[in-house]
Amino acid sequence: MQKRNATVAVIGAGDYIGGEIAKKFASEGFTVFAGRRNGAKLEPLVKEIEAAGGEIHACSLLDARKEEEVISFLADADKHAPLEVCIFNIGANVNFPILDTTERVFRKVWEMACYSGFLAGREAARLMLPRGGGKIFFTGATASLRGGSGYAAFASAKFGLRAVAQAMARELGPKNIHVAHLIIDSGVDTEWVRQRRLEALGPNALDDPDLLMPPSSVAASYWQLYQQPKSAWTFELEIRPFGEKW
């Protein structure tokens, strides 16, 4: 592994997609700054990356809805080594009938999946612009393009995040900052998704391995975005497993 003088910040370094992104960039020589609300859950990721020879700094109790915490987290990453990549990977996927969607649920989902993305993108850009380059990537979902039944809160937040990302891409692209939005159009192979599929579709719901996307495949897609030359930058990348109907 060739060490780079650069950091990648992963906001929403969860057990699946975020963790796999962190591991992929660490394996490519980046120093990883990983943040999530429950910092104790980062311990297995830290051990795995360090055992493989990578470097990771875990930020415990990062609440990405709080401006001062996002500023501090990204500044710490940039002080360690130039912040080259910022990946926003907070989901906040909930499903409630519209009459059961409380004001608190709607506001909280928007804060987590949209507002915090704005904070992360703005502060990453603030650090990258003086150096004339960088990458800011956002994780989207099917709900970024389609408001499904029961997804008023989640879809509105993801629609908003996509708009933030697109506006940033148009503004920052000419300044050599690659902003991209990745739409994951499928269920990702996590324990939570598996249980939901079993409950909804019955005992044979997991028989076809091509219907769920491995988190490592998502991480590989982010690495592909990172490697793109600026003569062919992608703003929006849709990915789905082989068996997904669309």
Side-chain angles (χ1 to χ4, degrees):
M1 180 195 307
Q2 184 176 357
K3 294 286 187 180
R4 302 169 185 257
N5 182 35
T7 59
V8 55
V10 182
I11 296 177
D15 298 333
Y16 299 100
I17 294 175
E20 289 295 331
I21 292 170
K23 286 188 285 185
K24 176 60 180 175
F25 277 81
S27 73
E28 298 291 344
F30 280 86
T31 298
V32 175
F33 274 69
R36 64 184 294 178
R37 283 188 297 171
N38 188 335
K41 291 185 177 180
L42 284 170
E43 292 178 8
L45 178 64
V46 170
K47 290 178 180 178
E48 186 172 353
I49 287 178
E50 290 181 343
E55 183 176 353
I56 179 172
H57 299 262
C59 179
S60 61
L61 304 177
L62 172 65
D63 187 340
R65 298 169 296 175
K66 295 183 178 179
E67 183 179 38
E68 66 277 9
E69 293 189 20
V70 173
I71 292 172
S72 177
F73 174 66
L74 293 179
D76 286 346
D78 195 60
K79 287 174 186 175
H80 183 84
L83 178 66
E84 186 173 342
V85 186
C86 178
I87 296 174
F88 178 80
N89 183 60
I90 293 177
N93 188 348
V94 297
N95 182 285
F96 290 104
I98 191 66
L99 297 185
D100 295 334
T101 302
T102 65
E103 181 275 339
R104 181 178 181 275
V105 164
F106 192 93
R107 174 168 41 84
K108 185 176 180 180
V109 170
W110 174 79
E111 287 176 346
M112 292 174 66
C114 183
Y115 172 67
S116 57
F118 151 72
L119 290 177
R122 186 194 67 186
E123 291 308 311
R126 197 185 304 278
L127 295 167
M128 293 172 181
L129 279 169
R131 289 194 292 271
K135 319 279 184 179
I136 304 172
F137 299 152
F138 297 91
T139 299
T142 306
S144 302
L145 300 175
R146 186 176 69 216
S149 175
Y151 289 101
F154 183 58
S156 63
K158 284 297 186 181
F159 265 65
L161 181 68
R162 180 175 185 257
V164 169
Q166 190 175 82
M168 286 181 57
R170 293 174 186 272
E171 179 179 344
L172 299 176
K175 299 175 183 178
N176 200 37
I177 294 178
H178 183 188
V179 180
H181 179 250
L182 190 147
I183 295 175
I184 303 174
D185 184 28
S186 79
V188 177
D189 193 359
T190 68
E191 184 60 30
W192 181 74
V193 170
R194 284 173 166 265
Q195 289 304 315
R196 285 189 64 183
R197 289 183 67 86
L198 287 171
E199 291 168 7
L201 303 174
N204 298 322
L206 304 177
D207 289 351
D208 186 350
D210 288 327
L211 291 177
L212 292 178
M213 182 180 295
S216 59
S217 296
V218 181
S221 293
Y222 270 119
W223 182 248
Q224 290 168 357
L225 282 172
Y226 169 77
Q227 292 180 301
Q228 287 183 336
K230 65 181 180 181
S231 57
W233 275 350
T234 294
F235 163 65
E236 194 154 75
L237 178 65
E238 289 187 52
I239 58 174
R240 57 186 60 86
F242 178 77
E244 179 75 17
K245 294 181 181 179
W246 64 291

